[in-house]
Amino acid sequence: MLSTGYTETGYGGGVTVMVGAGRGAYPYANSVLVRGTAETLIIDPSLSLVGAAPPADVVLVSHAHEDHIAALGDYETPVHVHAQDLAAVRSRAVMVEGYGLPPDAAEHTDLMLRDRFHLQDRPEATGFEDGTVLDLGGRTVTVVHLPGHTAGHCGFLIEPDGFLFVADIDLTSFGPYYGDVGSNLTDFEASMHRCRDVDARWYGTAHQKGVIEGAAEFSERLDAFAGVMATRDETLLAFLSEPRTVDEIARRRLVYRPHVEGPHIMPVERRTAVQHLDRLAGVGRVAEVEPGRFRAT
């Protein structure tokens, strides 16, 4: 008998969270099934749904990362994603380019996306914009653009249930990830602020932390999540007690722990370091003291 690889928990009258293996830890993720009187919609069909995906009339994708679309092949129904992530859902090659990897690592990643995550090109996928509303009959799903993790990263507000799916604003101790080519630290901060302004009863994350009930609890956990950014700032400033290059900062690591290995590590660390340098320089806390070398002021 085929194991589904996920467990189901209901919220409100028509929202079901499909918790992926390992509480949705990567390479898995949590998916959301939304039932209306006219249509059923699935958000982020993850690896845990492969071969056991529930029927749905429409697929929504929060953003173009492999762990959120591994079960797309189980659906022949329309697929929608924010316009800024559309090209990467339509083409696996474009998704790989967005990771900004060296050529040999990019080739390996492409094979991994094909073989481990079952990704195929979806050229028929279409784009939506912030504020797009899908009416499922007695239940609506509204797009809430939350860029930063990717340019097109989105959440979805489901009413009348009061359920906000915030995807990879996932509240984990790892902290915000903004290390792809199209990622943006400043946008990520703004998106976290926007989440606080959305009136919801439940806040669903894509990984590990699951569903948080109540705005107060969500806000407290969001504070801790955002605090990882501040910790990275302070780590960088301490390291810049003497002039350092971006490569030296990358080797010191702001994102990954020293034991973590992989070809993606240094590109992510460099992009993250540059964004923090730019932000700290903008408020006068870092200066370029000689070409390519930076120091705390």
Side-chain angles (χ1 to χ4, degrees):
M1 183 175 179
L2 182 65
S3 172
T4 61
Y6 59 82
T7 58
E8 296 185 1
T9 305
Y11 298 89
V15 178
T16 301
V17 175
M18 313 176 82
V19 181
R23 296 188 299 128
Y26 185 89
Y28 303 99
N30 302 326
S31 305
V32 180
L33 191 70
V34 187
R35 295 183 177 91
T37 59
E39 290 186 307
T40 296
L41 176 151
I42 186 83
I43 299 171
D44 285 3
S46 74
L47 191 60
S48 289
L49 273 61
V50 172
D57 302 295
V58 182
V59 180
L60 293 188
V61 176
S62 66
H63 64 289
H65 277 165
E66 69 277 3
D67 49 322
H68 295 260
I69 60 173
L72 266 188
D74 286 32
Y75 292 98
E76 295 182 358
T77 52
V79 176
H80 307 291
V81 64
H82 190 276
Q84 288 186 262
D85 276 16
L86 178 58
V89 170
R90 286 179 169 175
S91 165
R92 190 175 70 229
V94 173
M95 182 180 292
V96 173
E97 288 176 6
Y99 294 135
L101 300 171
D104 55 342
E107 182 177 357
H108 173 78
T109 298
D110 183 58
L111 294 175
M112 179 191 71
L113 297 188
R114 184 194 69 186
D115 298 337
R116 186 180 186 187
F117 290 92
H118 316 284
L119 296 199
Q120 303 172 2
D121 292 351
R122 294 299 294 257
E124 82 288 358
T126 60
F128 52 61
E129 299 291 344
D130 182 44
T132 296
V133 178
L134 291 92
D135 189 344
L136 306 179
R139 185 159 279 105
T140 60
V141 180
T142 301
V143 174
V144 183
H145 190 204
L146 301 171
H149 182 64
T150 69
H153 182 272
C154 286
F156 302 101
L157 178 63
I158 304 161
E159 296 286 18
D161 308 273
F163 189 103
L164 177 64
F165 182 64
V166 294
D168 273 3
I169 301 180
D170 56 23
L171 309 180
T172 61
S173 59
F174 180 84
Y177 176 90
Y178 35 91
D180 288 356
V181 172
S183 300
N184 187 284
L185 182 160
T186 301
D187 285 349
F188 207 126
E189 287 186 312
S191 292
M192 289 189 289
H193 284 296
R194 186 177 187 191
C195 285
R196 298 179 194 272
D197 295 334
V198 178
D199 184 24
R201 176 180 177 184
W202 290 293
Y203 301 81
T205 68
H207 299 288
Q208 296 171 280
K209 297 303 179 181
V211 177
I212 311 303
E213 183 169 6
E217 178 69 16
F218 176 71
S219 184
E220 183 177 333
R221 294 192 183 214
L222 194 59
D223 286 342
F225 185 64
V228 176
M229 285 181 163
T231 298
R232 290 170 184 163
D233 276 341
E234 295 308 314
T235 298
L236 177 56
L237 288 168
F239 189 59
L240 294 180
S241 59
E242 58 183 82
R244 310 280 189 178
T245 65
V246 170
D247 280 348
E248 287 173 324
I249 297 167
R251 288 193 293 271
R252 167 60 179 80
R253 298 200 182 188
L254 298 177
V255 180
Y256 293 101
R257 294 179 180 179
H259 70 277
V260 180
E261 298 180 353
H264 65 292
I265 299 294
M266 285 300 103
V268 169
E269 292 287 353
R270 289 188 191 97
R271 285 190 287 268
T272 301
V274 167
Q275 292 184 78
H276 279 270
L277 285 170
D278 287 346
R279 182 169 75 161
L280 291 168
V283 295
R285 301 190 70 187
V286 164
E288 187 173 14
V289 293
E290 54 187 275
R293 297 180 71 85
F294 303 86
R295 185 171 184 168
T297 57

